[in-house]
Amino acid sequence: MPNNITIFGANGTLGSEFTRALSSHYPEATIHAFSRRPQDSAAQNVTTHQLDYLDEAALKYAATEVSANAPVDLVIVATGILHTDDIMPEKSLRDLSADKFMQIYQANTIVPALIAKYFVPVLNKKQLSVFAALSARVGSISDNHLGGWYSYRASKAALNMIIRNVAIEARRTNKQAIICALHPGTVDSPLSEPFQKNVPEGKLFTAEYSACQLLQVIGSLKNEDSGKVFAWDGNEVLP
Protein backbone atom coordinates (compact mmCIF):
# COMPACT_ATOMS: atom_id res chain seq x y z
CA MET A 1 0.00 0.00 0.00
CA PRO A 2 1.60 3.29 -1.06
CA ASN A 3 1.82 5.89 1.69
CA ASN A 4 3.77 8.61 -0.10
CA ILE A 5 2.69 9.31 -3.69
CA THR A 6 3.87 11.86 -6.25
CA ILE A 7 2.06 12.69 -9.50
CA PHE A 8 3.39 14.91 -12.28
CA GLY A 9 1.04 16.40 -14.84
CA ALA A 10 -1.72 16.52 -12.25
CA ASN A 11 -3.64 19.16 -14.20
CA GLY A 12 -3.95 16.97 -17.28
CA THR A 13 -6.83 14.68 -18.21
CA LEU A 14 -5.16 11.50 -16.95
CA GLY A 15 -3.04 13.15 -14.28
CA SER A 16 -6.07 14.65 -12.57
CA GLU A 17 -7.84 11.29 -12.70
CA PHE A 18 -4.83 9.52 -11.19
CA THR A 19 -4.84 12.10 -8.41
CA ARG A 20 -8.56 11.69 -7.74
CA ALA A 21 -8.46 7.88 -7.82
CA LEU A 22 -5.38 7.54 -5.62
CA SER A 23 -6.73 10.08 -3.14
CA SER A 24 -9.93 8.05 -2.88
CA HIS A 25 -8.29 4.62 -2.73
CA TYR A 26 -5.62 5.62 -0.21
CA PRO A 27 -7.15 8.27 2.07
CA GLU A 28 -4.33 7.85 4.60
CA ALA A 29 -1.62 8.43 1.99
CA THR A 30 0.18 11.69 1.38
CA ILE A 31 -0.19 12.74 -2.25
CA HIS A 32 1.89 15.45 -3.91
CA ALA A 33 0.36 16.69 -7.17
CA PHE A 34 2.69 18.67 -9.45
CA SER A 35 1.69 20.71 -12.48
CA ARG A 36 3.05 23.60 -14.52
CA ARG A 37 -0.02 25.71 -13.82
CA PRO A 38 -1.88 26.46 -10.57
CA GLN A 39 -4.40 23.82 -9.55
CA ASP A 40 -7.04 23.26 -6.93
CA SER A 41 -7.74 20.14 -4.90
CA ALA A 42 -10.63 19.46 -2.57
CA ALA A 43 -8.99 16.35 -1.12
CA GLN A 44 -7.37 16.78 2.26
CA ASN A 45 -4.60 14.31 1.52
CA VAL A 46 -3.49 16.07 -1.70
CA THR A 47 -0.90 18.84 -1.65
CA THR A 48 -0.63 20.75 -4.92
CA HIS A 49 2.58 22.24 -6.29
CA GLN A 50 3.36 24.41 -9.30
CA LEU A 51 6.65 23.47 -10.95
CA ASP A 52 8.71 24.12 -14.07
CA TYR A 53 9.68 20.56 -15.04
CA LEU A 54 12.82 21.76 -16.81
CA ASP A 55 14.12 23.60 -13.74
CA GLU A 56 16.52 21.06 -12.24
CA ALA A 57 17.08 23.06 -9.07
CA ALA A 58 13.31 23.08 -8.49
CA LEU A 59 13.05 19.35 -9.22
CA LYS A 60 15.87 18.59 -6.79
CA TYR A 61 14.19 20.69 -4.09
CA ALA A 62 10.83 19.02 -4.76
CA ALA A 63 12.33 15.54 -4.40
CA THR A 64 13.93 16.53 -1.12
CA GLU A 65 10.69 18.03 0.19
CA VAL A 66 8.35 15.14 -0.69
CA SER A 67 10.74 12.56 0.77
CA ALA A 68 11.62 14.54 3.91
CA ASN A 69 9.39 12.47 6.20
CA ALA A 70 9.17 9.21 4.28
CA PRO A 71 10.53 7.65 1.10
CA VAL A 72 8.34 7.80 -1.99
CA ASP A 73 6.31 4.68 -2.79
CA LEU A 74 4.83 5.67 -6.13
CA VAL A 75 5.70 8.25 -8.79
CA ILE A 76 3.45 8.69 -11.82
CA VAL A 77 4.65 10.94 -14.65
CA ALA A 78 1.57 11.86 -16.68
CA THR A 79 3.15 14.65 -18.69
CA GLY A 80 3.67 14.95 -22.46
CA ILE A 81 2.21 16.35 -25.65
CA LEU A 82 1.06 15.03 -29.02
CA HIS A 83 0.05 18.32 -30.58
CA THR A 84 -0.34 22.01 -29.78
CA ASP A 85 -1.91 24.96 -31.56
CA ASP A 86 1.24 25.09 -33.71
CA ILE A 87 2.24 21.42 -33.87
CA MET A 88 0.48 18.46 -35.45
CA PRO A 89 1.85 14.93 -35.96
CA GLU A 90 3.81 14.69 -39.19
CA LYS A 91 2.28 12.72 -42.05
CA SER A 92 5.52 12.64 -44.08
CA LEU A 93 9.14 13.74 -44.09
CA ARG A 94 8.24 17.07 -45.67
CA ASP A 95 6.37 17.99 -42.47
CA LEU A 96 9.45 17.71 -40.24
CA SER A 97 10.59 20.81 -38.37
CA ALA A 98 13.64 20.97 -36.11
CA ASP A 99 11.99 23.39 -33.69
CA LYS A 100 8.80 21.35 -33.38
CA PHE A 101 10.79 18.12 -33.13
CA MET A 102 12.70 19.58 -30.19
CA GLN A 103 9.51 20.71 -28.45
CA ILE A 104 8.05 17.20 -28.67
CA TYR A 105 11.28 15.61 -27.42
CA GLN A 106 11.54 18.08 -24.58
CA ALA A 107 8.03 17.34 -23.35
CA ASN A 108 7.91 13.58 -23.93
CA THR A 109 11.47 12.43 -23.30
CA ILE A 110 13.58 15.02 -21.49
CA VAL A 111 11.04 15.97 -18.83
CA PRO A 112 10.39 12.37 -17.66
CA ALA A 113 14.14 11.70 -17.69
CA LEU A 114 14.83 14.72 -15.48
CA ILE A 115 12.04 13.75 -13.10
CA ALA A 116 13.56 10.26 -12.87
CA LYS A 117 16.97 11.80 -12.15
CA TYR A 118 15.73 13.30 -8.91
CA PHE A 119 12.82 11.06 -7.87
CA VAL A 120 14.13 7.56 -8.49
CA PRO A 121 16.83 8.04 -5.81
CA VAL A 122 14.14 8.83 -3.20
CA LEU A 123 12.01 5.74 -3.90
CA ASN A 124 11.36 3.38 -1.01
CA LYS A 125 14.10 0.78 -0.58
CA LYS A 126 12.38 -1.32 2.09
CA GLN A 127 9.31 -2.33 0.09
CA LEU A 128 8.22 -2.36 -3.53
CA SER A 129 8.13 1.11 -5.03
CA VAL A 130 7.20 2.20 -8.54
CA PHE A 131 8.24 4.93 -10.95
CA ALA A 132 5.84 4.91 -13.92
CA ALA A 133 5.82 7.25 -16.91
CA LEU A 134 3.11 7.46 -19.54
CA SER A 135 4.37 6.31 -22.92
CA ALA A 136 2.49 5.10 -26.02
CA ARG A 137 2.23 1.98 -28.13
CA VAL A 138 3.27 4.03 -31.18
CA GLY A 139 6.72 4.23 -29.58
CA SER A 140 7.17 0.52 -30.30
CA ILE A 141 9.40 0.05 -33.36
CA SER A 142 8.23 -3.54 -33.91
CA ASP A 143 4.59 -2.42 -33.82
CA ASN A 144 5.03 0.40 -36.33
CA HIS A 145 3.32 -0.61 -39.58
CA LEU A 146 1.83 2.74 -40.60
CA GLY A 147 4.71 5.22 -40.36
CA GLY A 148 4.14 8.94 -39.87
CA TRP A 149 4.03 10.80 -36.56
CA TYR A 150 7.83 11.01 -36.70
CA SER A 151 8.61 13.15 -33.68
CA TYR A 152 5.94 11.69 -31.39
CA ARG A 153 6.86 8.09 -32.20
CA ALA A 154 10.57 8.84 -31.80
CA SER A 155 10.09 10.71 -28.51
CA LYS A 156 8.14 7.81 -27.00
CA ALA A 157 10.64 5.23 -28.30
CA ALA A 158 13.38 7.32 -26.68
CA LEU A 159 11.38 7.50 -23.45
CA ASN A 160 11.07 3.72 -23.44
CA MET A 161 14.86 3.46 -23.73
CA ILE A 162 15.27 5.94 -20.87
CA ILE A 163 12.97 3.76 -18.75
CA ARG A 164 15.05 0.68 -19.59
CA ASN A 165 18.29 2.47 -18.71
CA VAL A 166 16.93 3.80 -15.43
CA ALA A 167 15.67 0.34 -14.49
CA ILE A 168 19.10 -1.20 -15.04
CA GLU A 169 20.83 1.50 -13.02
CA ALA A 170 18.26 1.50 -10.21
CA ARG A 171 18.59 -2.25 -9.78
CA ARG A 172 22.14 -1.73 -8.50
CA THR A 173 21.12 0.48 -5.59
CA ASN A 174 17.43 -0.26 -4.99
CA LYS A 175 16.25 -3.78 -5.72
CA GLN A 176 12.75 -2.85 -4.55
CA ALA A 177 12.26 -0.21 -7.26
CA ILE A 178 10.21 -0.97 -10.35
CA ILE A 179 10.72 1.43 -13.26
CA CYS A 180 8.19 1.12 -16.06
CA ALA A 181 6.31 2.90 -18.83
CA LEU A 182 2.57 2.68 -19.40
CA HIS A 183 0.39 2.86 -22.51
CA PRO A 184 -3.03 4.24 -21.50
CA GLY A 185 -4.83 3.46 -24.74
CA THR A 186 -6.65 6.23 -26.58
CA VAL A 187 -8.22 8.43 -23.93
CA ASP A 188 -11.02 10.89 -24.62
CA SER A 189 -9.05 14.07 -24.05
CA PRO A 190 -7.87 17.22 -25.82
CA LEU A 191 -4.71 15.29 -26.77
CA SER A 192 -6.63 12.71 -28.79
CA GLU A 193 -9.57 14.83 -29.94
CA PRO A 194 -8.31 15.59 -33.48
CA PHE A 195 -7.78 11.87 -34.16
CA GLN A 196 -10.79 10.23 -32.52
CA LYS A 197 -12.64 9.57 -35.78
CA ASN A 198 -10.09 6.85 -36.60
CA VAL A 199 -10.42 5.07 -33.25
CA PRO A 200 -12.18 1.68 -33.48
CA GLU A 201 -15.50 1.37 -31.66
CA GLY A 202 -15.01 0.57 -28.00
CA LYS A 203 -11.37 1.70 -27.97
CA LEU A 204 -11.89 5.33 -26.95
CA PHE A 205 -11.56 5.25 -23.19
CA THR A 206 -12.69 7.65 -20.51
CA ALA A 207 -9.90 8.99 -18.31
CA GLU A 208 -11.51 7.26 -15.34
CA TYR A 209 -11.40 3.87 -17.06
CA SER A 210 -7.85 4.25 -18.34
CA ALA A 211 -6.49 5.45 -14.99
CA CYS A 212 -8.27 2.64 -13.17
CA GLN A 213 -6.82 0.06 -15.57
CA LEU A 214 -3.31 1.47 -15.26
CA LEU A 215 -3.48 1.53 -11.47
CA GLN A 216 -4.40 -2.15 -11.59
CA VAL A 217 -1.39 -2.75 -13.82
CA ILE A 218 0.85 -0.86 -11.39
CA GLY A 219 -0.54 -2.90 -8.50
CA SER A 220 0.31 -6.16 -10.26
CA LEU A 221 3.92 -5.32 -11.12
CA LYS A 222 6.77 -7.53 -9.95
CA ASN A 223 10.50 -6.90 -9.74
CA GLU A 224 11.12 -8.67 -13.02
CA ASP A 225 8.80 -6.19 -14.77
CA SER A 226 11.18 -3.30 -14.21
CA GLY A 227 12.32 -1.68 -17.45
CA LYS A 228 9.30 -2.79 -19.46
CA VAL A 229 6.33 -1.07 -21.08
CA PHE A 230 2.80 -2.22 -20.28
CA ALA A 231 -0.53 -1.37 -21.87
CA TRP A 232 -3.76 -0.59 -20.06
CA ASP A 233 -4.81 -4.25 -20.37
CA GLY A 234 -1.69 -5.52 -18.62
CA ASN A 235 -0.02 -6.83 -21.77
CA GLU A 236 3.61 -5.94 -22.39
CA VAL A 237 4.30 -3.59 -25.29
CA LEU A 238 7.39 -4.94 -27.01
CA PRO A 239 10.16 -2.56 -28.20
Side-chain angles (χ1 to χ4, degrees), residues 112-163:
L114 290 178
I115 294 173
K117 176 180 178 179
Y118 293 103
F119 278 81
V120 168
V122 299
L123 288 175
N124 202 328
K125 296 182 178 180
K126 295 183 178 180
Q127 63 184 41
L128 281 182
S129 53
V130 176
F131 179 97
L134 291 189
S135 186
R137 188 182 299 276
V138 296
S140 166
I141 295 174
S142 63
D143 192 64
N144 182 4
H145 305 292
L146 296 175
W149 290 31
Y150 282 84
S151 56
Y152 187 74
R153 285 183 185 274
S155 70
K156 291 300 188 179
L159 171 60
N160 296 345
M161 181 60 80
I162 294 291
I163 290 296

Side-chain angles (χ1 to χ4, degrees), residues 56-210:
E56 289 200 53
L59 278 172
K60 182 178 181 180
Y61 178 79
T64 301
E65 285 294 296
V66 303
S67 62
N69 298 319
V72 179
D73 299 303
L74 173 61
V75 177
I76 296 178
V77 183
T79 60
I81 59 174
L82 170 58
H83 62 88
T84 67
D85 292 341
D86 302 317
I87 300 174
M88 288 297 287
E90 307 92 348
K91 294 182 179 180
S92 69
L93 279 170
R94 64 176 174 271
D95 297 326
L96 291 181
S97 157
D99 289 341
K100 294 175 181 178
F101 219 120
M102 291 175 67
Q103 289 182 56
I104 294 292
Y105 253 84
Q106 187 177 77
N108 294 343
T109 310
I110 296 174
V111 164
L114 290 178
I115 294 173
K117 176 180 178 179
Y118 293 103
F119 278 81
V120 168
V122 299
L123 288 175
N124 202 328
K125 296 182 178 180
K126 295 183 178 180
Q127 63 184 41
L128 281 182
S129 53
V130 176
F131 179 97
L134 291 189
S135 186
R137 188 182 299 276
V138 296
S140 166
I141 295 174
S142 63
D143 192 64
N144 182 4
H145 305 292
L146 296 175
W149 290 31
Y150 282 84
S151 56
Y152 187 74
R153 285 183 185 274
S155 70
K156 291 300 188 179
L159 171 60
N160 296 345
M161 181 60 80
I162 294 291
I163 290 296
R164 179 64 176 168
N165 270 9
V166 174
I168 292 171
E169 182 174 344
R171 193 175 299 135
R172 300 171 188 146
T173 56
N174 184 357
K175 297 187 182 303
Q176 297 289 356
I178 299 173
I179 316 298
C180 68
L182 301 172
H183 167 57
T186 303
V187 179
D188 188 4
S189 69
L191 182 143
S192 69
E193 187 174 2
F195 316 102
Q196 291 180 6
K197 65 180 181 180
N198 297 320
V199 178
E201 185 176 353
K203 292 298 185 180
L204 180 63
F205 303 145
T206 65
E208 180 180 7
Y209 176 79
S210 181

